[in-house]
Amino acid sequence: MTHKPQPTSGSQDGIESALHEDRVFPPPASADLGLGKWHVGSMAEYEAEHRRSVEDQDGYWGEIAKRLRWMKPFDSVLSGGFPEPRWFEGGQLNACDNCVDRFVDEGHGDEVAIIWEGEPVGDGGPEIRRVTYKELQEQTARLGNALKKLGATKGDVITIYMGMVPELAIAMLACARIGCPHSVIFGGFSSQAIADRVQDASSKIVITCDGGWRRGKVVPLKENVDNAIEMMGDTSPVEHVLCFGRCHNKIAWGELDRCWNEAMEAASADCPCEPMGSEDMLFLLYTSGSTGKPKGIVHTTAGYLLYAAHTGRLTFNLEPDQNQVYWCTADCGWITGHSYIVYGILPNRVPTLMYEGAPNAPAEDRFWDIVERHKVTQFYTAPTAIRAFMKWGDEHPKKHDLSSLKILGTVGEPINPAAWMWYRELIGGNRCPIVDTYWQTETGGHVITPLPGATDQHPGSCTRPAFGVDAAVVQRDGTECEADKGGLMVIRKPWPGMLRGVFGDRQRFIDTYFSTVYEGGDVDGTPYYTAGDGARRDTHGNFWIMGRIDDVINVSGHRMGTMEVESALVAHDAVVEAAVVGVPHEIKGTGIAAFVTLASGFEAGDDLKKQLGAHVADQIGAIARPDQVRFAEALPKTRSGKIMRRLLRDIAAGVEGTQDTSTLEDFNVLAKLRETEE
Ligand code: WTA
């Protein structure tokens, strides 16, 4: 290997854990929960199975892979190793077939696959749709043919920018059906973000909605796509925009536009699932990294699907014919929606619930209203949402019968023990186990998580590695850290759900994930997968994630690259230089603080602050809007010219979001002081 380990800013020596938490909650007996049988029912079973899964990868995954329906059996299980392993070579299958068609063939066509609830609540209650496997088969087939008619051929990346309607899942599955990788863009992203992603993926077709409901308002999705295409001008690769009518808001209709309903009616319902090679790309999903440009994470058909479905089954104890109703509150625009609304749930033949809108529309009890109405059994959400629920008050969940719930999950960021306890007591009635699932867009599925019937839960800990995952906390030279010592979170062996690349940028893929730690500390040795998180393992072997160690911050459980926000800021005429850091935030977990130096002729003040906030929202999306904007004479730098981010973090954390000053601040004085200290 030619690449050398690169020094990075956050050294593991600096990782200190402040969290001391020793409450333990053993798993309940499945009978006490009224939940059928646990798939993994004891720690002894977990330990034995985990050992086998990492020591005999071929044996373990070869057996688990039989749960999928193959069109052609694979010749080998794992070939090669990091950074580019190949799984199930020689095999052929189709992801849509495994989510939909196989269940129709097996006689379950009339069972419900997707339960959907719209946001608006009329006199007769909210709009509810139940989509069966048979209907899903027909819809994905028609849409598959409609896309082919628009010129889609196997391998073309199709962009999807829609609200949370069943048609979003249908669009994803239809792409999979005809062998076109999809690139779903979260509906909260701006036109600029759409343009960047569509261009990077050279997408000829964009599927969108006229609008989407969010907190009683219509998000103008189609208009955002129109603007993105206009921004790209002559360089736009887009040939067709297929638009599903949801809100019936006014939209412009141009030459590229095609109507979903008309296209579906004109298309035949006969569209066999395309046989796909195991390693063929299933989708591409853009996520933030430590540069200004988001990267397209590539996932493949067999390994990803198998891993998502297997972890989904075990983490949530999914089982058909048990009256389970599973609900994940994420949006399909994020990896959580890909893996644990669609690809990891449908193959388990348990209905997956999709909700269109906001948790506080029309009131703060909306989620609990949904849980009660649909008798939800497994509920999966983010710590940031839980903190918002806590703030809104106990009366909201208390108004509802939540006794259907059996298993609760969290994802996206470390959960603070106070929020964990609230979730357990108020939502779980002190009876439901909580699975704190640690994973990433890149890992495809859960890599560290409790299993509800086996693992002791520790509030704030994601506990134990999933099957097949050889996770460890190590120092930069690859040696494992002692118990309770912070280090780098790594995975030492390939697992089927791992990313296979960064779209169009192999070097970035290797530099980002496989160039920090090597087995035995030798650059010529096997690289480990580095996750970009700091972690520690306690004396019982449980993992505690301590947060990102790169220039990525976690805002409301969503990844945001500080460089991305910085490049958006410097794109504004008023800004010469910008530095963005994370700052503790009561609800979001981490908020965004931006320090900017202004071009001459621009005046620091509240007006400009608002303008800059709006500008960032416009460039990236509302989730990236800084919570604090602070103007500085100059940014504090070390003698070698590096921005002193740690100093800025301290400054930002010492300030209430609303009381930050509008005047110019001279941080260089502080910086000079700090330099003399160090
Ligand atoms: C963080 C979301 C602590 C972590 C599935 C990771 C977590 C990043 C947890 C990935 C958890 C996710 N405990 N931290 N249970 N889950 N993270 O790609 O920093 O949007 O690297 O995937 O979220 O975010 P991503």
Side-chain angles (χ1 to χ4, degrees):
M1 307 218 65
T2 51
H3 34 270
K4 299 260 175 280
Q6 305 188 339
T8 51
S9 45
S11 120
Q12 70 269 26
D13 310 331
I15 303 175
E16 282 297 328
S17 176
L19 190 66
H20 293 283
E21 170 62 56
D22 39 29
R23 280 171 290 201
V24 186
F25 297 89
S30 59
D32 294 348
L33 268 183
L35 183 83
K37 188 174 133 305
W38 291 123
H39 294 317
V40 182
S42 74
M43 213 47 197
E45 204 183 316
Y46 162 82
E47 300 276 13
E49 192 79 345
H50 184 262
R51 199 170 313 116
R52 178 167 96 92
S53 71
V54 291
E55 283 172 7
D56 176 18
Q57 288 172 294
D58 280 8
Y60 181 78
W61 289 112
E63 191 181 302
I64 301 299
K66 291 189 191 135
R67 302 184 64 87
L68 295 180
R69 176 154 94 167
W70 295 83
M71 293 166 167
K72 179 170 172 283
F74 46 87
D75 303 321
S76 56
V77 177
L78 170 61
S79 347
F82 283 152
E84 283 157 328
R86 296 173 310 282
W87 288 88
F88 309 110
E89 273 194 321
Q92 284 188 336
L93 76 171
N94 182 287
C96 182
D97 181 55
N98 275 283
C99 289
V100 180
D101 294 58
R102 66 179 288 190
F103 299 124
V104 177
D105 295 345
E106 289 169 10
H108 304 291
D110 293 325
E111 290 175 20
V112 174
I114 298 177
I115 302 171
W116 173 82
E117 190 167 303
E119 187 189 88
V121 181
D123 290 343
E127 189 184 346
I128 293 170
R129 286 168 56 190
R130 291 189 175 79
V131 188
T132 64
Y133 291 98
K134 219 187 257 167
E135 286 161 347
L136 259 190
Q137 184 182 43
E138 190 199 322
Q139 298 279 308
T140 54
R142 281 186 192 278
L143 184 58
N145 280 329
L147 291 167
K148 283 186 193 169
K149 239 191 255 176
L150 295 180
T153 54
K154 193 169 171 173
D156 290 349
V157 178
I158 295 180
T159 295
I160 302 176
Y161 179 74
M162 300 173 85
M164 281 288 284
V165 284
E167 282 68 20
L168 168 52
I170 290 168
M172 293 164 73
L173 292 164
C175 289
R177 191 172 189 93
I178 60 170
C180 289
H182 53 70
S183 161
V184 183
I185 303 176
F186 170 55
F189 277 126
S190 69
S191 299
Q192 184 63 55
I194 303 171
D196 293 345
R197 288 159 175 75
V198 163
Q199 227 150 10
D200 188 76
S202 308
S203 251
K204 289 188 294 188
I205 300 176
V206 178
I207 310 179
T208 189
C209 296
D210 51 0
W213 286 109
R214 185 80 198 171
R215 208 164 289 126
K217 294 209 181 79
V218 174
V219 182
L221 298 167
K222 169 71 164 58
E223 191 182 316
N224 291 348
V225 171
D226 292 346
N227 291 339
I229 292 173
E230 202 180 309
M231 279 173 187
M232 290 184 277
D234 290 345
T235 65
S236 167
V238 179
E239 292 169 12
H240 303 284
V241 176
L242 185 64
C243 181
F244 174 73
R246 160 64 184 146
C247 300
H248 307 292
N249 48 314
K250 218 168 156 235
I251 51 172
W253 201 255
E255 267 173 25
L256 309 183
D257 300 331
R258 304 283 173 272
C259 162
W260 173 290
N261 285 350
E262 284 172 15
M264 294 289 270
E265 269 165 39
S268 134
D270 180 20
C271 177
C273 292
E274 188 71 28
M276 301 299 289
S278 294
E279 285 287 318
D280 284 345
M281 177 165 42
L282 175 62
F283 65 83
L284 145 74
L285 180 61
Y286 285 87
T287 186
S288 296
S290 26
T291 72
K293 194 172 163 271
K295 50 196 172 189
I297 301 298
V298 174
H299 279 291
T300 54
T301 306
Y304 168 82
L305 183 70
L306 180 68
Y307 194 73
H310 187 53
T311 48
R313 175 170 186 268
L314 298 184
T315 307
F316 303 115
N317 214 69
L318 299 175
E319 182 66 25
D321 308 319
Q322 298 284 326
N323 293 322
Q324 295 186 352
V325 175
Y326 164 93
W327 181 23
C328 165
T329 70
D331 189 289
C332 286
W334 306 104
I335 191 67
T336 306
H338 282 62
S339 298
Y340 299 110
I341 293 179
V342 181
Y343 294 114
I345 308 304
L346 289 174
N348 287 298
R349 194 160 61 80
V350 165
T352 182
L353 193 147
M354 282 174 86
Y355 166 58
E356 178 178 39
N360 52 355
E364 283 76 8
D365 67 339
R366 183 62 189 269
F367 276 13
W368 321 126
D369 188 35
I370 295 175
V371 167
E372 181 173 7
R373 180 161 39 253
H374 298 283
K375 300 202 170 25
V376 171
T377 43
Q378 288 98 336
F379 178 75
Y380 191 30
T381 197
T384 182
I386 297 170
R387 289 190 295 268
F389 303 144
M390 287 170 76
K391 197 171 173 174
W392 291 340
D394 296 0
E395 65 273 24
H396 301 295
K398 280 188 173 156
K399 266 197 290 223
H400 293 276
D401 176 5
L402 305 180
S403 62
S404 61
L405 290 170
K406 315 271 188 217
I407 296 170
L408 303 178
T410 69
V411 56
E413 55 179 313
I415 179 165
N416 46 312
W420 197 99
M421 290 305 300
W422 185 90
Y423 196 31
R424 180 179 160 85
E425 285 164 20
L426 272 288
I427 308 305
N430 283 316
R431 110 194 142 260
C432 305
I434 297 179
V435 289
D436 172 353
T437 63
Y438 166 78
W439 60 297
Q440 309 176 294
T441 305
E442 293 86 342
T443 67
H446 306 149
V447 285
I448 304 188
T449 177
L451 295 178
T455 320
D456 279 349
Q457 307 140 57
H458 301 255
S461 168
C462 51
T463 73
R464 297 303 186 98
F467 292 147
V469 175
D470 182 18
V473 177
V474 300
Q475 296 171 12
R476 209 159 278 273
D477 65 5
T479 50
E480 265 193 91
C481 295
E482 286 167 41
D484 285 328
K485 281 270 184 294
L488 303 168
M489 177 69 228
V490 299
I491 301 176
R492 297 180 292 199
K493 283 184 172 177
W495 69 104
M498 64 178 275
L499 78 165
R500 297 296 197 279
V502 169
F503 192 67
D505 198 344
R506 179 167 186 271
Q507 201 53 49
R508 188 171 178 196
F509 165 66
I510 291 173
D511 290 347
T512 311
Y513 305 106
F514 297 101
S515 303
T516 311
V517 182
Y518 297 81
E519 188 174 11
D522 180 351
V523 206
D524 294 322
T526 315
Y528 291 164
Y529 168 83
T530 41
D533 285 304
R536 73 178 166 95
R537 253 186 130 157
D538 65 19
T539 48
H540 310 285
N542 292 309
F543 284 81
W544 300 74
I545 304 297
M546 290 148 67
R548 301 289 308 191
I549 49 167
D550 52 9
D551 292 327
V552 173
I553 52 180
N554 202 319
V555 182
S556 300
H558 297 314
R559 264 161 80 164
M560 191 47 59
T562 50
M563 294 264 291
E564 257 177 272
V565 184
E566 287 165 8
S567 20
L569 283 165
V570 294
H572 191 282
D573 288 344
V575 180
V576 176
E577 197 174 28
V580 165
V581 295
V583 53
H585 186 283
E586 189 191 354
I587 303 290
K588 297 180 180 182
T590 307
I592 300 177
F595 293 83
V596 296
T597 55
L598 295 179
S600 60
F602 288 90
E603 207 175 308
D606 283 341
D607 271 359
L608 188 55
K609 258 188 206 177
K610 279 204 196 96
Q611 264 185 44
L612 292 177
H615 171 76
V616 173
D618 207 48
Q619 293 272 307
I620 304 175
I623 47 165
R625 189 194 303 267
D627 299 276
Q628 298 179 24
V629 175
R630 303 181 53 142
F631 301 108
E633 205 69 80
L635 295 175
K637 291 186 185 154
T638 60
R639 245 161 278 184
S640 61
K642 272 188 92 171
I643 293 177
M644 299 174 79
R645 290 172 182 281
R646 205 189 298 177
L647 172 65
L648 292 180
R649 273 196 288 272
D650 291 350
I651 294 169
V655 167
E656 292 293 316
T658 48
Q659 294 170 359
D660 49 341
T661 56
S662 294
T663 50
L664 293 175
E665 298 170 76
D666 184 3
F667 295 123
N668 271 327
V669 178
L670 276 170
K672 281 184 197 120
L673 280 176
R674 177 67 72 101
E675 261 188 53
T676 50
E677 272 169 30
E678 279 175 352

